Amino acid sequence: MSMTREILKRNFSNTLNKSIRNSSLLVINNAGRINTCFASLRHQSTAAGSSTEVSSTDAHSSAAASLSATPLYNIKDTPTFQDYKGYFKSLQQAVVELPEDLVSKSTKLSTLHARLHLPSELKLSTLSQALNCRSSKLVGTLHDNYNLSILGKNVLIYELTKYLNVKYPRLPLPIFNSCIDYLMGTETLHLLGKFVWGIELEKTTVMSRYLQKEPIEQTLGRLRYYDNEVVNEKGVELYKIHKSNKVVSEEAAYSLAVKSIVGGLHLDTGFNTEIIQQFIENNFIRKIPVAKIFQFTEPIRELTRLCERENLAKPMSKLISESGRLSKAPIFIVGVFSGAEKLGEGFGSSLKEAKTKAATDALLKYYCYEPVNSSAQNENTVQVIDKGSVIV
Amino acid sequence: MLQNISRGALISRAGTFYPLSNVLRLHGSCHYRSIATYLHSGSRVRGLKKNSDEYLTVQHNDKKLHIDRVDLSAYKSEIFDKLNMNKYGIDLDESLVLQCLTHKSFAHGLKPYNEKLSVMGYHFIKYFAIVKDMTKLQNSENVNNKNIIGSAFSKKVLSNEVLNKVFEQHQLQDLVFWKKRALDHNEGNFNGEFTVHSTCLKALVGAILLKNGQDKTSQFFEQEIYHKMVQLASKQ
Amino acid sequence: MPVAVNPIKLKSIVQTGIKQYIPACRKITIQYCNWGGSSEGIRQYLKSGQINKLLETNRHIEFEIVNKNGTHPVITGHYANQRIKPICIRNLTGTRIEEKLNLIKSSSGSVLRNVAKNKNVQSNSDSVRGIWSPVHVDPTSRYNV
C-alpha cells in the first residue's frame, strides 16, 4: 500500500520544461490533426531540442503565420509523436473504462475518499467519474458525471427542503428559496468543493503531462472540466469553440462535481436514505442567518393582515421609552402589541422608524419560528405546517 | 345610499342587507356616523369592501362550495377514497387536507394555502422519478438507455400537464378552492387549470410526506400516482 | 400586487459542516537530496520505514516523495485553502522531522497570526447575553435627557 502511495517524481521534468519553452512550438490538435485556426490551441511540441521550428509565440501573429506556414516534415511520422498518441489513447481509455486496478493506484482519489469519510460502498471509479464533467470532451457523453450530477442535485434539494420545512416551517417561499441557494447554490458548492474538500483541478495539458511522464492514474483524481488539449493560461478565457462543446466555468464545474459525488454516493449505497441523510447533514447543513435575508416592503400593513388571518387583536404600536426627544439624537423604543401581548419591539431615531422596526421584528419572530423539537430525522413529528405567507 | 346610512339602516342594491344591530355589534359604537360597513357583491368597485361570502366561495359547474361551511370529515373521506389513501395507512388532519386543495389565488391568501407543501411534494416527485430512472439504467445493459436522465420524456412525466391529467383522472378537480381568471371560460388551460391542479396534487404528496414519512409516501405515490404519470406521458 | 418580502442574497462562506470536520491538509511533499549532508536525517528517516506508519494513519493525506539533488531537504504541506506551507528540514533527524511533519499535518494552512489578542475573537453568532440598553432599565432610575 505504501508503495502505491509514493510517487517518485524525476527532477529532469523541470529542466525539460525549460528547454521546451526555449526551443520549439507547434500547433497540434486532437490526436495529430494540425490545427491552424485557433491561436489558443497552441501546444508545446514533443520534439524537445529537435530542429522543428514553426512559429513565434506572439498570439495573433502566430495564428496568421501558421496559416501559411507548412511543417518542414510530417510530424505524424516521428516516433515521439506516436508515443504521445499512445499516451493519449491510454488516457482516454482509462477515463472511459476506469479499471479498478488503475483507479486504486490513484492516490488523489483514495485520499479524497478518506478525507470525506465516505463509506467503502462508494467505489473509487464512481468517484473518478464524478470528477469528469461533460464539457471536458475527453470522453463521450456516456462516461461523464452528467447523470450523477442530476441525481445528486435532486437528492440534495429534496433532503434540504425536508430539513428546512422541519427547521423553519413558516419561511415565505422567496426566503425559502434563498436559503436553499445558500445551502446548495453554485457559489456555495464551489467553495465547499475547492476550499473544504480540496478537490484539485486538472490544469495541465495532456502534452505536458506526457512530457513529465506523469502516471495516467494521477489525472483520475482531478476535476476535468475543459478540453485539456487546450492550454489554460491566466487571463485568457476559453470561449465556445463548437456548438456542442458547452464551456462551463470553474465554479459550475466544482458544483457539478460536488453534486455528482452526492449522487454517486447515493447510487453506490443502493439509494440508502440513512447514509445520504447523514452525509448531507455532515457536509451541507450549516447555520443560516435567516433573519438577514428578509427585506419587507410594507411591514406594518403585513403585520395587520397577519393578525387578521391568525384571529389576533389588531396590532397597536405603543411607545415604551424615549430619550432626548428635543435633542439632535433622539431615541424611541416602540413596541407593537396585539391586545395585551407584545409581538415585537423596535428602536429608532424617529417614532415612525421605531414603529416600522417593531413591526418588522414581530414579523421576523413569526416567520423565523423554529419548533422546539425539530429534528430532521423524525419525519413523523412534524407539527407545524405553514399556512403560507400573508399577501399584502 | 349615504342617506340610508345617516338614517341608521344599511340597504344595498346589489349587495347583502345587514341589519343595523349587527353592524353596531361589530363596531361596538353607538354613533351612527361612524358606521360604513357596506359589503359589496358582484364586480369589484374601488373603495368598497367585498362581501366575504363571495370570495370565500368557489363555483365548480353548478356546485358552490364555501370554504368555511365545508363538512371537513366528509371532504377528507371523499379525497381519501378517491386516492385510495386508507390502503397505505396514511393519516392527515382534516384541515390539512383542505389546505392541500386550496390554491394561493383563493381569497387573497387569507385561508391556509398549499404553496410550500407543493414545493415539498414537487421535490419528492422529482427525487422519486430520478431514483426510478437510475435503477432502470443500472439494470439495463443497453447503452442507448444511458441517456434517460434529463431526456424529454422524463421531463414530460413531471410536467404540469401530466400531473393535471392524473388529478382529473381521480376526479378531484371539483374539490379545489381557487380563483378562476374568468368563470365563463372553462375550456383547456385558459384559467391556468394545469398549474393549479398539479400544485394541489404535489401539495397532497408533500403533506403526506411531512406527516407520514418517506416509506408510506413512496408506496402510495408509486401505486396511485407515479405509474399513471408514466402511462399518460407515454400515451401523448 | 406589491411583493411583500424580498430576499437579500447571502454571501456564501467557506465552512465545513457542523458535524464533520474535514482535515485541511491534503498533500505533503517530502523533498530530499541523495548526496547532501543536510539530507542525512531525512534519508535515514525514509530508509528506516517510519514513514509507513505515517501513511497508514493518515489516509486522507497524499504523500509525495521527491528526489531533488543539490538542495536542502524541504517538506511542504498543501492545504485545501489553496495555500502551501514549506518547512526546511536541513540537518534535522528522526524525532525533529516527525515534529515538523506533525506540524504540517495538523496546520490549517491559513496565514499565521497572533491569536492571543482579544480582537481576534470572531463569531457569526449573536452574543448570548445581549447588549445592555440604557433605555430599558427601570423608569424610576432611568437617566433622561
Side-chain angles (χ1 to χ4, degrees):
Chain A
M1 186 62 199
S2 65
M3 280 309 290
T4 58
R5 288 154 71 90
E6 282 176 27
I7 298 134
L8 293 167
K9 208 174 171 184
R10 290 160 193 85
N11 67 337
F12 68 77
S13 58
N14 276 336
T15 44
L16 192 64
N17 255 345
K18 260 180 228 161
S19 71
I20 293 160
R21 218 167 289 139
N22 296 335
S23 63
S24 57
L25 282 151
L26 251 183
V27 186
I28 305 172
N29 195 12
N30 190 357
R33 252 185 295 118
I34 307 289
N35 190 310
T36 50
C37 302
F38 296 96
S40 59
L41 289 177
R42 246 188 303 121
H43 279 287
Q44 292 166 342
S45 136
T46 57
S50 77
S51 61
T52 329
E53 186 71 54
V54 171
S55 61
S56 70
T57 50
D58 194 13
H60 290 290
S61 63
S62 79
S66 55
L67 266 172
S68 55
T70 46
L72 298 178
Y73 59 89
N74 195 354
I75 188 151
K76 286 181 188 171
D77 298 338
T78 56
T80 335
F81 182 77
Q82 291 302 329
D83 204 19
Y84 166 68
K85 208 170 163 184
Y87 182 83
F88 191 92
K89 281 269 164 63
S90 54
L91 179 78
Q92 211 165 22
Q93 203 183 356
V95 176
V96 169
E97 288 171 4
L98 295 168
E100 208 53 51
D101 57 327
L102 196 64
V103 166
S104 61
K105 266 193 229 164
S106 170
T107 48
K108 285 194 194 306
L109 276 181
S110 55
T111 49
L112 181 65
H113 197 281
R115 217 178 305 137
L116 299 185
H117 309 283
L118 292 166
S120 53
E121 287 98 331
L122 175 61
K123 283 176 277 179
L124 286 180
S125 50
T126 317
L127 196 59
S128 178
Q129 192 186 346
L131 299 178
N132 190 22
C133 294
R134 180 162 281 191
S135 53
S136 78
K137 283 213 80 185
L138 191 60
V139 294
T141 53
L142 300 181
H143 301 92
D144 52 23
N145 64 10
Y146 180 72
N147 288 353
L148 290 182
S149 72
I150 294 184
L151 174 64
K153 190 179 88 183
N154 282 304
V155 178
L156 262 180
I157 201 163
Y158 164 61
E159 290 294 346
L160 291 177
T161 306
K162 216 159 62 173
Y163 163 77
L164 277 181
N165 262 318
V166 177
K167 174 97 173 161
Y168 301 107
R170 284 182 190 156
L171 292 182
L173 195 58
I175 307 294
F176 183 86
N177 290 337
S178 199
C179 286
I180 290 279
D181 192 47
Y182 182 70
L183 293 177
M184 58 163 290
T186 309
E187 203 185 327
T188 311
L189 296 190
H190 167 231
L191 295 179
L192 182 74
K194 188 171 187 182
F195 297 106
V196 180
W197 290 5
I199 300 173
E200 280 178 57
L201 281 180
E202 182 59 273
K203 279 193 166 169
T204 50
T205 56
V206 182
M207 179 66 77
S208 60
R209 266 179 269 160
Y210 163 73
L211 287 177
Q212 294 189 3
K213 302 262 186 298
E214 190 189 89
I216 283 167
E217 66 266 14
Q218 283 299 299
T219 191
L220 297 180
R222 296 201 191 104
L223 173 56
R224 300 169 294 274
Y225 77 98
Y226 64 90
D227 193 350
N228 274 100
E229 297 279 292
V230 184
V231 185
N232 186 12
E233 276 172 276
K234 210 179 172 187
V236 180
E237 217 170 278
L238 191 65
Y239 201 65
K240 216 174 190 176
I241 298 174
H242 304 294
K243 264 185 188 170
S244 58
N245 188 10
K246 215 172 142 194
V247 177
V248 299
S249 64
E250 188 191 307
E251 283 80 11
Y254 267 111
S255 95
L256 279 178
V258 170
K259 283 173 195 164
S260 308
I261 290 173
V262 175
L265 175 66
H266 202 39
L267 188 68
D268 276 8
T269 52
F271 307 109
N272 187 324
T273 336
E274 270 170 39
I275 293 176
I276 200 73
Q277 272 175 358
Q278 192 60 48
F279 186 72
I280 288 172
E281 200 182 343
N282 287 344
N283 290 286
F284 292 89
I285 289 177
R286 47 177 78 186
K287 193 175 160 188
I288 312 169
V290 206
K292 284 183 187 162
I293 308 177
F294 284 85
Q295 192 182 34
F296 295 103
T297 48
E298 290 185 75
I300 299 171
R301 205 165 142 192
E302 193 169 343
L303 184 64
T304 315
R305 294 281 288 175
L306 183 66
C307 289
E308 193 184 326
R309 192 185 73 179
E310 298 294 316
N311 293 325
L312 298 171
K314 205 178 171 197
M316 298 279 281
S317 300
K318 292 174 189 170
L319 186 63
I320 293 176
S321 82
E322 63 169 282
S323 176
R325 187 185 275 260
L326 300 175
S327 72
K328 93 176 196 344
I331 188 162
F332 301 96
I333 310 287
V334 167
V336 60
F337 292 81
S338 165
E341 209 150 332
K342 188 168 151 194
L343 302 177
E345 191 188 285
F347 67 92
S349 57
S350 72
L351 284 167
K352 201 175 172 188
E353 188 192 349
K355 191 183 162 192
T356 316
K357 276 190 181 167
T360 309
D361 186 40
L363 284 175
L364 282 179
K365 279 175 182 160
Y366 178 79
Y367 284 135
C368 301
Y369 165 71
E370 291 177 48
V372 181
N373 57 348
S374 71
S375 89
Q377 267 94 45
N378 299 335
E379 294 165 318
N380 295 333
T381 61
V382 179
Q383 296 295 330
V384 185
I385 296 282
D386 184 30
K387 289 183 180 177
S389 59
V390 183
I391 301 169
V392 181
Chain B
M1 198 179 73
L2 281 174
Q3 276 179 351
N4 283 337
I5 291 170
S6 64
R7 266 189 255 125
L10 277 171
I11 301 161
S12 67
R13 263 174 295 144
T16 326
F17 174 75
Y18 279 87
L20 184 64
S21 55
N22 247 356
V23 180
L24 282 179
R25 218 187 305 131
L26 277 172
H27 286 261
S29 157
C30 284
H31 299 292
Y32 288 168
R33 291 179 65 194
S34 69
I35 303 160
T37 312
Y38 161 71
L39 299 174
H40 183 71
S41 299
S43 62
R44 187 165 174 258
V45 177
R46 199 182 158 88
L48 291 186
K49 211 168 182 185
K50 271 200 150 190
N51 184 358
S52 70
D53 279 350
E54 194 169 80
Y55 60 76
L56 292 177
T57 311
V58 69
Q59 187 169 3
H60 293 293
N61 302 324
D62 303 329
K63 213 171 72 181
K64 272 194 176 183
L65 271 176
H66 191 290
I67 196 161
D68 287 339
R69 293 176 207 144
V70 173
D71 179 2
L72 281 176
S73 58
Y75 186 82
K76 179 189 160 183
S77 59
E78 189 176 353
I79 288 162
F80 268 52
D81 288 345
K82 280 179 174 171
L83 281 168
N84 242 338
M85 271 147 81
N86 288 320
K87 199 175 131 191
Y88 306 94
I90 289 166
D91 186 37
L92 287 180
D93 294 343
E94 289 165 351
S95 58
L96 187 58
V97 176
L98 184 63
Q99 185 184 344
C100 288
L101 293 190
T102 308
H103 189 249
K104 190 183 178 182
S105 60
F106 184 74
H108 204 55
L110 261 185
K111 295 291 164 187
Y113 56 83
N114 62 12
E115 190 186 28
K116 286 271 293 292
L117 287 171
S118 83
V119 171
M120 182 69 254
Y122 185 47
H123 288 316
F124 172 78
I125 292 172
K126 279 202 298 186
Y127 167 75
F128 188 89
I130 195 156
V131 168
K132 280 275 159 209
D133 282 354
M134 278 304 231
T135 339
K136 215 189 290 171
L137 195 148
Q138 266 191 324
N139 297 335
S140 72
E141 293 297 312
N142 191 359
V143 179
N144 293 331
N145 275 351
K146 296 228 170 187
N147 286 329
I148 316 175
I149 314 293
S151 67
F153 179 74
S154 60
K155 275 177 193 157
K156 199 196 252 174
V157 173
L158 302 173
S159 67
N160 281 350
E161 206 178 335
V162 168
L163 284 171
N164 170 54
K165 278 197 179 154
V166 176
F167 195 75
E168 284 180 353
Q169 268 193 1
H170 287 291
Q171 293 174 333
L172 293 165
Q173 67 269 32
D174 287 351
L175 296 166
V176 182
F177 287 92
W178 63 298
K179 188 181 171 187
K180 289 176 183 174
R181 187 171 145 203
L183 280 169
D184 42 357
H185 283 71
N186 273 326
E187 67 277 1
N189 195 21
F190 178 79
N191 288 316
E193 277 91 346
F194 289 5
T195 318
V196 173
H197 292 165
S198 62
T199 310
C200 292
L201 192 63
K202 289 172 202 165
L204 270 170
V205 176
I208 294 168
L209 177 74
L210 287 177
K211 284 286 180 188
N212 294 276
Q214 194 178 320
D215 297 340
K216 280 184 188 173
T217 319
S218 302
Q219 278 176 12
F220 160 75
F221 181 70
E222 183 170 10
Q223 301 289 325
E224 301 296 330
I225 301 175
Y226 185 69
H227 84 267
K228 280 188 182 166
M229 282 160 68
V230 177
Q231 259 178 19
L232 285 166
S234 49
K235 238 185 244 173
Q236 283 178 355
Chain C
M1 190 174 76
V3 184
V5 55
N6 295 325
I8 298 170
K9 199 182 179 309
L10 289 175
K11 201 178 181 313
S12 303
I13 48 171
V14 179
Q15 197 180 21
T16 57
I18 297 169
K19 295 207 170 167
Q20 180 175 293
Y21 174 70
I22 292 176
C25 183
R26 58 176 173 80
K27 183 178 169 183
I28 293 178
T29 315
I30 301 170
Q31 182 195 305
Y32 71 101
C33 167
N34 259 342
W35 316 107
S38 60
S39 290
E40 183 59 36
I42 184 72
R43 280 201 301 270
Q44 288 299 328
Y45 183 78
L46 290 176
K47 257 189 240 165
S48 67
Q50 277 167 289
I51 187 102
N52 288 345
K53 205 177 147 196
L54 198 71
L55 297 178
E56 284 304 312
T57 48
N58 296 292
R59 288 184 175 276
H60 57 277
I61 300 176
E62 184 187 354
F63 283 89
E64 192 175 30
I65 296 162
V66 182
N67 172 18
K68 191 174 180 189
N69 290 344
T71 54
H72 286 309
V74 176
I75 45 176
T76 314
H78 300 254
Y79 297 92
N81 63 359
Q82 310 292 306
R83 290 176 57 86
I84 56 168
K85 185 198 271 293
I87 296 179
C88 181
I89 47 163
R90 66 173 177 195
N91 300 330
L92 296 190
T93 50
T95 45
R96 296 296 306 281
I97 292 174
E98 235 163 41
E99 268 173 33
K100 294 292 177 197
L101 277 170
N102 266 333
L103 180 95
I104 283 188
K105 202 181 76 188
S106 50
S107 170
S108 74
S110 52
V111 188
L112 290 179
R113 54 180 189 161
N114 188 358
V115 287
K117 285 178 192 162
N118 195 33
K119 68 177 179 185
N120 286 319
V121 175
Q122 290 178 343
S123 175
N124 292 326
S125 314
D126 294 334
S127 145
V128 183
R129 277 187 286 176
I131 305 165
W132 179 80
S133 153
V135 281
H136 281 88
V137 293
D138 181 19
T140 51
S141 57
R142 190 187 295 163
Y143 178 77
N144 264 324
V145 180

